Amino acid sequence: MFDYSVLDRAIEKFGNEEKSLIAVLQEAQENYRYLPKEIFPYLAEKLNVSEAKIFGVATFYENFSLEQKGKYVIKVCDGTACHVRHSVPILEALRKELGLSEEKKTTDDLMFTVETVACLGACSSAPAITLNNEIYPTMTPESAVALVKSIIEKEGK
Amino acid sequence: MSEYMIIDGIKAEINGEKNVLELARKVGIEIPAFCYDPDLSIYGACRMCMFEDERGRLDAACSTIPKAGMVIKTNTAKLRKYRKMILELLLANHCRDCTTCHMSGKCKLQEFAYKFNIENVRFPNNSCSLSSDQSSYSIVRTPSKCILCGKCVRMCNEIQSVGAIDYAFRGSKMKISTAFDGDIANSPCVGCGQCAAVCPTGAITIRDDADLVWKAIGNPEIEVSVQVAPAVRVGLGEEFGFKEGENVMGKLITALREMGFDKVYDTNIGADLTIVEESNELIHRITKGGKLPMFTSCCPAWIRFAEDKYPELLDNISTCRSPMQMLASTIKATYTGEKKHIHVAIMPCSAKKDEARRDKFKDKDGNPLVDYVLSTQDVVRMIREHGIHFAQLEESLPDVPFKEYTGASVIFGASGGVMEAALRTAVETITGEKLGDVEFKEVRGMEGVKEAEYDVKGLKVKVAVVSGLKNASIICDKVKAGEADYQFIEIMSCPGGCVNGGGQPFVDAFTRSAVDYKGLRASGLYNTDADMSSRKSHENSAVMELYNNFFGEIGGHKAHELLHTHYEPKKK
Ligand code: SF4
Ligand code: SF4
Ligand code: FES
């Protein structure tokens, strides 16, 4: 059974009306780390909005994700500064290490998600990546892979 | 004192028009517009409707309230340049295969591209995929033709409260989408086709089933019969130069015979049959303590809506099949010919295309009782394809034995018509006396919600008539909450009833503002009714003969088997 209690609490907090939709989705995103399919009909009913509308909101804001993400979300910056300082090889190295691609962004064990981001605003430390929102500056393909390996080791113990 | 504003030098009297665009339309000036529709909220996104004021400032006509003394121009060099730019941008993102598009000749984008002399689009075309969503029996969606005016979204949400589609994604990826971008057939869509009725391009159209029918007609081994719904006869003529609401049934029958249909019947006799059964059911429910209020059941989009959103009210819906289905099952059950028999129905409706495919309306071999449903639009195209000069045709009559009808049945096509027809029969049956005046004018008209209360020999009968599913949901909520004391409620999904069905000839937004086309089509039906000598369904001798020779008792066993149905909540 899917656990709707997170939503119930959020609805209680923000009110059961269409206005609350974004706030409730935010709580859901934080809790599940993505917006699971199951919550759509549930919220549609409770907030009296259509599922199509919720989908619209969920796809409008970049912070919402419809796919389940890994425990560790790595974002490789592909802004201009990072790009010219070779961020692409970092991305490729990470994908290769984890068996991921542009389409497949998350590992099957839901441990890692690798995605790109337009600009992290950390251009002075280009090329940069973030790991669960923490910035790692001046990376190389090797240091990025080493970071991933250290996590796998930590998790594997 | 009257107030005026000056539009392109014309003195336009302000009479509470909601915006400058409406006022301009009232005085015959068409300001180009994509995203404005008189029945929907203002979106103000396309910027085609700009006007220029005396100081050279530009503003959107759809979002500006008319003010006395305003002097504006709707067509200046600046505006032309501006509009051309908008059109080029839209065309760059549009699949421009006009020659094979269903909306060719009616599309606003095509019309404006022509009017504004767009000869060259300076931007690369990046929308050539013609992939479309064909999952629904009712509508077809081709996203590459969408200009994101949002009319469909507003129609589906504001007027129909269905919420099957909405905007999704952002920026250049923005599109109109169902939840999770899934097939429309798996969404809450009820197939009403009203989104297609307002879409200015070919991005949403009504499914075309003409090819299947041509194939059947062309096969000498097959007998093809056809029935024609009431609303079709007052809509179809518009496509051949007739005035809105002119009844062209006689010519249509001739055309159908020329095209090769073997038998042409009138759905009206099915409507009379429906009224006989439905008023019997109503009286039964009222006198024997059945579930009340009773809802009408002839609108298949309403049925889909109720099955999805009001499962707790399904027992309140009349078990009567729609007139189309009643007539089809009668035709199929009484067919004695040797040949394989295909039955076609011409309907003003896209939802009927879906209704015909439902399992409960199939015979025991699994074949649909109505093999194909053609929309009014489909038939218009077929008539053209066949090279028929429609306006010059002689008139003819339908075939026996499904030919005779009463005035009660023909008004089925307008909001309030089913109610009025049922009242004529129910009141006479309850009182045992002949009605002096058969017209129940209170339930007529194009308003979305109508109410009336009648005293039938001491028995109070309170009725409501609604069109548009948003209005329906308001009434349903009241019934659910126990706040409504009606006995009988008529619901039609399309605003104004079937005359304004999704399958009817396309009416562009300018005409929607300027002409009461729904009202005119409805009066076409009421005029036909008024001209009839027989105006009550139970006086249809052909129907009564059917009971004597075939069905037996009204509401009896055979009638139940062939003329009634049941409802189940939508599986989710
Ligand atoms: S056909 Fe009706 S219910 Fe379906 S998407 Fe269009 S407006 Fe909505
Ligand atoms: S599908 Fe048609 S009505 Fe809907 S947004 Fe696109 S162009 Fe407008
Ligand atoms: S902005 Fe006025 S019609 Fe689109």
Side-chain angles (χ1 to χ4, degrees):
Chain A
M1 262 306 276
F2 191 86
D3 179 13
Y4 292 104
S5 58
V6 174
L7 301 180
D8 290 335
R9 278 197 302 276
I11 292 168
E12 184 131 331
K13 188 153 120 203
F14 300 110
N16 59 342
E17 45 194 352
E18 188 175 342
K19 286 210 302 278
S20 322
L21 180 59
I22 292 182
V24 174
L25 287 179
Q26 232 149 4
E27 299 264 311
Q29 172 77 39
E30 248 165 57
N31 265 280
Y32 307 107
R33 293 203 310 269
Y34 79 118
L35 301 178
K37 268 201 162 138
E38 288 85 347
I39 73 170
F40 282 70
Y42 193 78
L43 288 181
E45 170 96 31
K46 295 269 167 175
L47 302 180
N48 197 20
V49 289
S50 71
E51 289 186 53
K53 163 127 265 134
I54 305 177
F55 181 72
V57 172
T59 52
F60 188 85
Y61 297 103
E62 280 212 12
N63 269 333
F64 295 130
S65 165
L66 290 170
E67 276 153 48
Q68 189 158 16
K69 290 201 181 174
K71 185 170 172 193
Y72 298 94
V73 178
I74 300 173
K75 292 185 182 169
V76 180
C77 183
D78 198 28
T80 317
C82 290
H83 190 91
V84 297
R85 295 218 201 156
H86 310 294
S87 59
V88 176
I90 299 175
L91 180 66
E92 280 167 357
L94 284 172
R95 281 181 178 160
K96 190 162 163 241
E97 179 66 28
L98 295 167
L100 299 175
S101 65
E102 190 170 349
E103 290 77 42
K104 184 173 163 51
K105 294 191 166 69
T106 299
T107 55
D108 290 334
D109 61 0
L110 293 180
M111 197 54 81
F112 290 99
T113 296
V114 176
E115 46 192 34
T116 56
V117 55
C119 180
L120 290 168
C123 304
S124 59
S125 22
I129 69 172
T130 60
L131 173 66
N132 289 354
N133 293 330
E134 195 180 318
I135 293 198
Y136 286 71
T138 44
M139 298 299 279
T140 62
E142 293 73 30
S143 62
V145 169
L147 179 66
V148 164
K149 280 196 168 138
S150 72
I151 295 171
I152 295 175
E153 208 167 293
K154 189 179 92 196
E155 287 287 338
K157 68 168 184 270
Chain B
M1 224 191 62
S2 335
E3 297 191 320
Y4 295 92
M5 63 177 279
I6 310 289
I7 310 178
D8 293 343
I10 294 174
K11 214 166 142 188
E13 184 177 341
I14 303 172
N15 261 324
E17 285 78 13
K18 285 176 291 184
N19 52 61
V20 171
L21 191 68
E22 281 285 315
L23 183 59
R25 283 176 179 180
K26 294 266 155 65
V27 296
I29 296 169
E30 178 170 8
I31 303 179
F34 281 124
C35 69
Y36 177 75
D37 186 279
D39 298 324
L40 306 173
S41 67
I42 308 273
Y43 181 47
C46 75
R47 310 321 270 177
M48 271 300 274
C49 68
M50 303 296 259
F51 62 80
E52 191 173 340
D53 71 9
E54 286 169 301
R55 286 196 251 158
R57 278 185 317 208
L58 305 185
D59 230 326
C62 69
S63 338
T64 306
I65 299 166
K67 271 200 291 292
M70 258 171 103
V71 179
I72 64 161
K73 290 217 166 81
T74 72
N75 207 341
T76 63
K78 202 170 176 183
L79 289 170
R80 274 195 300 277
K81 193 170 152 211
Y82 194 82
R83 288 187 184 129
K84 278 191 167 191
M85 174 66 91
I86 294 173
L87 286 167
E88 281 189 57
L89 286 167
L90 287 174
L91 287 166
N93 273 312
H94 188 86
C95 187
R96 307 201 289 265
D97 76 327
C98 294
T99 48
T100 54
C101 179
H102 255 137
M103 280 291 278
S104 188
K106 299 199 159 62
C107 169
K108 275 286 156 192
L109 185 58
Q110 187 189 44
E111 180 190 324
F112 291 150
Y114 174 72
K115 272 194 183 161
F116 288 93
N117 236 323
I118 309 290
E119 290 181 320
N120 172 32
V121 176
R122 284 164 291 172
F123 316 103
N125 190 318
N126 43 27
S127 177
C128 268
S129 148
L130 267 182
S131 76
S132 57
D133 180 349
Q134 302 267 357
S135 62
S136 154
Y137 291 120
S138 303
I139 57 168
V140 177
R141 297 177 59 233
T142 313
S144 61
K145 294 183 184 171
C146 174
I147 58 171
L148 293 173
C149 70
K151 282 189 186 180
C152 54
V153 172
R154 281 172 282 154
M155 178 55 82
C156 192
N157 288 277
E158 293 171 7
I159 308 290
Q160 301 299 55
S161 69
V162 170
I165 45 179
D166 217 304
Y167 296 97
F169 304 99
R170 184 164 55 155
S172 63
K173 294 210 177 74
M174 185 192 260
K175 64 173 172 175
I176 306 299
S177 167
T178 55
F180 298 100
D181 213 359
D183 286 348
I184 188 83
N186 297 326
S187 77
C189 172
V190 298
C192 69
Q194 286 299 311
C195 51
V198 292
C199 178
T201 71
I204 307 183
T205 52
I206 305 301
R207 195 184 187 87
D208 183 346
D209 292 297
D211 278 350
L212 300 165
V213 174
W214 280 127
K215 223 165 149 189
I217 293 177
N219 185 341
E221 310 290 311
I222 299 177
E223 160 117 351
V224 186
S225 62
V226 61
Q227 58 168 304
V228 182
V232 174
R233 66 202 66 189
V234 290
L236 183 130
E238 289 162 30
E239 290 279 345
F240 298 103
F242 292 86
K243 284 200 297 290
E244 282 93 356
E246 198 155 332
N247 186 335
V248 295
M249 184 63 171
K251 289 185 191 296
L252 177 56
I253 294 168
T254 311
L256 293 171
R257 292 213 175 98
E258 275 190 23
M259 278 150 61
F261 286 96
D262 299 301
K263 288 278 184 307
V264 183
Y265 301 128
D266 199 320
T267 307
N268 284 351
I269 185 170
D272 277 330
L273 202 50
T274 304
I275 285 304
V276 170
E277 286 292 324
E278 195 161 338
S279 50
N280 179 64
E281 183 184 355
L282 177 67
I283 294 169
H284 199 88
R285 286 187 190 228
I286 292 178
T287 55
K288 302 263 158 62
K291 257 244 156 91
L292 289 172
M294 183 173 91
F295 289 96
T296 55
S297 57
C298 22
C299 172
W302 147 240
I303 297 297
R304 284 270 186 213
F305 186 75
E307 287 170 333
D308 184 10
K309 301 206 156 65
Y310 292 96
E312 55 282 85
L313 294 181
L314 292 180
D315 288 341
N316 290 70
I317 302 177
S318 161
T319 58
C320 286
R321 296 186 188 183
S322 65
M324 173 181 94
Q325 292 295 351
M326 282 204 182
L327 183 57
S329 71
T330 310
I331 289 172
K332 286 269 170 97
T334 55
Y335 178 69
T336 52
E338 301 277 292
K339 287 191 201 170
K340 180 177 173 197
H341 179 202
I342 292 268
H343 183 59
V344 178
I346 302 176
M347 296 283 137
C349 179
S350 46
K352 289 272 173 209
K353 290 182 181 250
D354 171 74
E355 182 193 57
R357 304 273 140 188
R358 300 194 67 162
D359 284 339
K360 54 185 181 173
F361 301 127
K362 288 181 176 159
D363 63 18
K364 45 186 185 318
D365 304 325
N367 298 317
L369 294 167
V370 179
D371 295 274
Y372 307 113
V373 173
L374 296 171
S375 68
T376 312
Q377 295 178 9
D378 290 349
V379 175
V380 167
R381 280 187 291 265
M382 289 175 79
I383 292 171
R384 294 219 173 95
E385 219 177 324
H386 203 69
I388 293 172
H389 296 286
F390 190 81
Q392 275 118 55
L393 290 177
E394 298 287 324
E395 305 203 346
S396 34
L397 291 169
D399 287 291
V400 282
F402 306 112
K403 164 185 181 194
E404 188 189 327
Y405 64 89
T406 71
S409 66
V410 79
I411 58 176
F412 253 65
S415 165
V418 179
M419 176 61 69
E420 182 167 348
L423 286 171
R424 290 180 190 174
T425 291
V427 171
E428 284 205 356
T429 312
I430 294 171
T431 61
E433 289 163 17
K434 282 222 173 297
L435 278 168
D437 180 6
V438 300
E439 298 191 349
F440 293 76
K441 292 232 169 73
E442 304 74 19
V443 296
R444 295 187 180 184
M446 290 294 110
E447 304 84 54
V449 182
K450 294 164 277 188
E451 278 185 8
E453 197 171 321
Y454 301 100
D455 186 341
V456 186
K457 267 207 164 161
L459 183 73
K460 269 208 167 40
V461 180
K462 191 169 172 191
V463 304
V465 171
V466 300
S467 64
L469 288 171
K470 171 81 190 223
N471 292 329
S473 76
I474 295 170
I475 287 262
C476 287
D477 287 340
K478 278 198 199 155
V479 171
K480 244 172 79 175
E483 290 163 8
D485 56 346
Y486 309 105
Q487 274 80 45
F488 193 24
I489 301 173
E490 177 202 287
I491 295 189
M492 295 189 188
S493 298
C494 294
C498 314
V499 285
N500 184 36
Q504 288 283 66
F506 184 77
V507 179
D508 77 349
F510 179 73
T511 314
R512 289 169 83 89
S513 289
V515 181
D516 177 23
Y517 69 99
K518 298 176 215 163
L520 288 169
R521 286 175 184 172
S523 6
L525 297 178
Y526 287 115
N527 292 342
T528 304
D529 165 43
D531 286 344
M532 309 269 314
S533 55
S534 185
R535 299 178 69 185
K536 288 166 272 183
S537 296
H538 55 288
E539 289 176 354
N540 183 330
S541 57
V543 166
M544 289 309 147
E545 211 167 291
L546 271 173
Y547 279 104
N548 290 336
N549 303 335
F550 185 65
F551 290 120
E553 229 182 313
I554 295 171
H557 180 70
K558 196 151 185 186
H560 259 274
E561 187 192 326
L562 292 172
L563 306 178
H564 288 255
T565 182
H566 62 277
Y567 310 104
E568 275 163 34
K570 178 173 176 173
K571 288 195 189 69
K572 291 187 186 171

